[in-house]
Amino acid sequence: MTCGINTSFSLVFGSIFSFAGDIRNVDDLEELFSQTKFDAVILANPMRYFDNNLVGSLNLYKLMAKHKLVFSSSATVYGQPDKIPCVAMNPYGRTKLFLEEIAQDLHKADQKWRIILLRYFNPVGAHESGMLVEDPRGIPNNLMPYITQVAVGRLPELNVYGHDYPTPDGSAIICLPIRDYIHVMDLADGDVVALEKFLQRNDIGCVAYNLGTGRGTSVLEMVAAFEKATGKKLPIKLCPRRPGDATAVYASTDKAERELGWK
């Protein structure tokens, strides 16, 4: 059995059964692992940073009797890259980087550990059925729900944070941060092929893959694409930079295509 774990508030497992508990509570995890046997564990993308990411994940590491893990990491481990591949710029990215380093140390110390680290870039979109969508309350933290809420009039304008970055944007005046936006269903496919490799191979070790398009896109380019597709003009407000935001974050996905057959 494979389980997915959401560390935000409680432990939630696939369609077979659910277990109410807290990943930060060792007793809850002990009860869960004593009840059933898992083939693999997928650690989902948490939101409570140091408490959930570090404390909860370390508790989970301790109780993974089968020593198998697929860890959904984050592109934030790259920070503002130059020649050094991983230098996180904010607390969230640092927690992900710490956990990747811990995972690597676990494998070095005990070769029985098999670990796949999936570095997600910026997920956008929804399931094609329309039943699974991102529709947050309040002002969204992610770009696409922000754009769509402005488009339907729920929010008055799209705040664009930072317009003085040294990046080409297709505009002679405005220079915006560059991100790699990837459809959420493509990420789901990446999870599936990674898990398939994980279950079929015993010689994985500890390996990381970038799950993205490998291309950078600015906020204004995303807005222009949305406007072209919908015929809806969006009001935009240029705002100051946010601390901890990198100028450009995208990376090669050649390794995922070569070793996982995913693109």
Side-chain angles (χ1 to χ4, degrees):
M1 181 182 297
T2 302
C3 72
I5 296 185
N6 183 329
T7 64
S8 298
F9 304 103
S10 63
L11 303 183
V12 181
F13 300 87
S15 58
I16 300 176
F17 76 99
S18 63
F19 180 88
D22 192 325
I23 196 171
R24 296 163 298 180
N25 187 321
V26 176
D27 292 337
D28 284 352
L29 286 175
E30 187 70 60
E31 181 180 352
L32 170 68
F33 275 80
S34 67
Q35 289 180 6
T36 190
K37 176 183 177 182
F38 299 103
D39 299 314
V41 175
I42 300 177
L43 182 57
N45 192 0
M47 293 300 292
R48 288 293 183 263
Y49 300 176
F50 283 98
D51 193 14
N52 268 356
N53 285 18
L54 290 178
V55 177
S57 298
L58 289 174
N59 286 342
L60 183 62
Y61 285 5
K62 295 174 184 176
L63 292 172
M64 287 173 56
K66 295 295 287 186
H67 301 293
K68 299 178 180 179
L69 173 65
V70 174
F71 175 45
S72 298
S73 188
S74 167
T76 54
V77 300
Y78 287 112
Q80 182 63 67
D82 184 10
K83 293 183 179 179
I84 302 174
C86 292
V87 181
M89 288 183 64
N90 53 53
Y92 178 79
R94 278 192 289 276
T95 63
K96 290 292 189 175
L97 186 55
F98 294 160
L99 288 169
E100 283 199 9
E101 292 175 347
I102 291 169
Q104 292 165 5
D105 287 342
L106 286 172
H107 173 65
K108 290 177 183 177
D110 185 348
Q111 299 296 309
K112 289 184 295 184
W113 282 87
R114 296 188 294 127
I115 304 170
I116 295 179
L117 307 169
L118 299 179
R119 293 171 180 161
Y120 290 178
F121 281 78
N122 293 60
V124 296
H127 190 271
E128 61 183 5
S129 68
M131 299 300 293
L132 296 173
V133 300
E134 187 177 19
D135 188 21
R137 299 176 181 176
I139 297 178
N141 290 317
N142 295 330
L143 178 60
M144 283 306 295
Y146 204 147
I147 287 177
T148 55
Q149 289 192 18
V150 172
V152 300
R154 191 184 301 179
L155 294 173
E157 58 195 3
L158 173 67
N159 289 336
V160 178
Y161 296 99
H163 50 90
D164 58 349
Y165 287 90
T167 56
D169 183 64
S171 166
I173 303 174
I174 303 172
C175 294
L176 301 174
I178 302 295
R179 298 290 181 267
D180 184 347
Y181 298 98
I182 177 173
H183 198 279
V184 65
M185 297 309 298
D186 289 328
L187 280 180
D189 289 340
D191 272 345
V192 170
V193 296
L195 185 58
E196 288 175 346
K197 177 176 180 176
F198 176 84
L199 295 175
Q200 294 169 3
R201 297 279 297 274
N202 292 320
D203 58 346
I204 290 174
C206 182
V207 60
Y209 297 101
N210 295 324
L211 295 190
T213 67
R215 303 185 304 273
T217 303
S218 77
V219 174
L220 287 190
E221 289 171 330
M222 287 287 284
V223 169
F226 182 90
E227 291 177 340
K228 181 179 179 180
T230 63
K232 179 80 173 181
K233 188 68 176 177
L234 300 182
I236 293 174
K237 179 181 178 181
L238 298 179
C239 304
R241 292 190 191 193
R242 295 180 299 186
D245 275 351
T247 299
V249 180
Y250 57 97
S252 171
T253 58
D254 291 347
K255 184 178 179 181
E257 183 176 1
R258 183 175 64 251
E259 298 185 10
L260 299 178
W262 175 92
K263 182 178 181 180

